Amino acid sequence: MNEFLFTTQQGSLIIKLLISHFIADFMLQSAAMVKNKKWISSHMFFHIAIVFICTFLLSRLIYVSIIISIVHWFIDGLKMEAKSKYQVKESKLFIADQLLHVLTIVLVWLIYFNITDKLVHAIYFPFDDYKISLILL
């Protein structure tokens, strides 16, 4: 595969979006915020504001920042709902929460640059080339 999966600009943005997520979710989210978040609460709104600010400061993309922040709120709300209604281990909720956040970031990034076809091509590439398919077999 001689072509790059994405450009420097595209790679730079996905790194910035992931860094902003880790800053907002791990460095700037207090234990009180984690413990007291509800669908509608000052802790949740403050956390989502932090997500938006971090995302916007690093990406400089208002619509991307808004979408990621809204979906982040929805994912965190669902996590709080699952935590209160079902007997789910905290570690499983944490992993699901983080996977959904990262998946959201990747999907928004793919859609922003309209490069979903490149990702599909990269996934199917080993199966399109019989030599690589033979090696995998």
Side-chain angles (χ1 to χ4, degrees), residues 6-23:
F6 44 83
T7 66
T8 302
Q9 179 190 18
Q10 294 163 343
S12 176
L13 181 60
I14 191 69
I15 290 167
K16 289 175 184 178
L17 294 174
L18 291 169
I19 289 171
S20 65
H21 168 72
F22 292 120
I23 291 170

Side-chain angles (χ1 to χ4, degrees), residues 13 17 55 59 61-69 108-109 112:
L13 181 60
L17 294 174
T55 305
S59 74
L61 299 169
I62 190 80
Y63 293 117
V64 166
S65 302
I66 290 169
I67 291 167
I68 288 174
S69 299
V108 168
W109 173 75
Y112 178 77

Side-chain angles (χ1 to χ4, degrees), residues 31-44 80:
M33 292 165 94
V34 172
K35 184 179 177 183
N36 297 311
K37 276 193 293 186
K38 294 176 180 48
W39 278 105
I40 307 291
S41 69
S42 60
H43 292 282
M44 178 69 88
M80 297 300 110

Side-chain angles (χ1 to χ4, degrees), residues 24 30 44-45 49 58 61-62 70-71 103 106 108:
S30 68
M44 178 69 88
F45 288 135
L58 289 178
L61 299 169
I62 190 80
I70 290 170
V71 176
L103 180 62
V106 170
V108 168

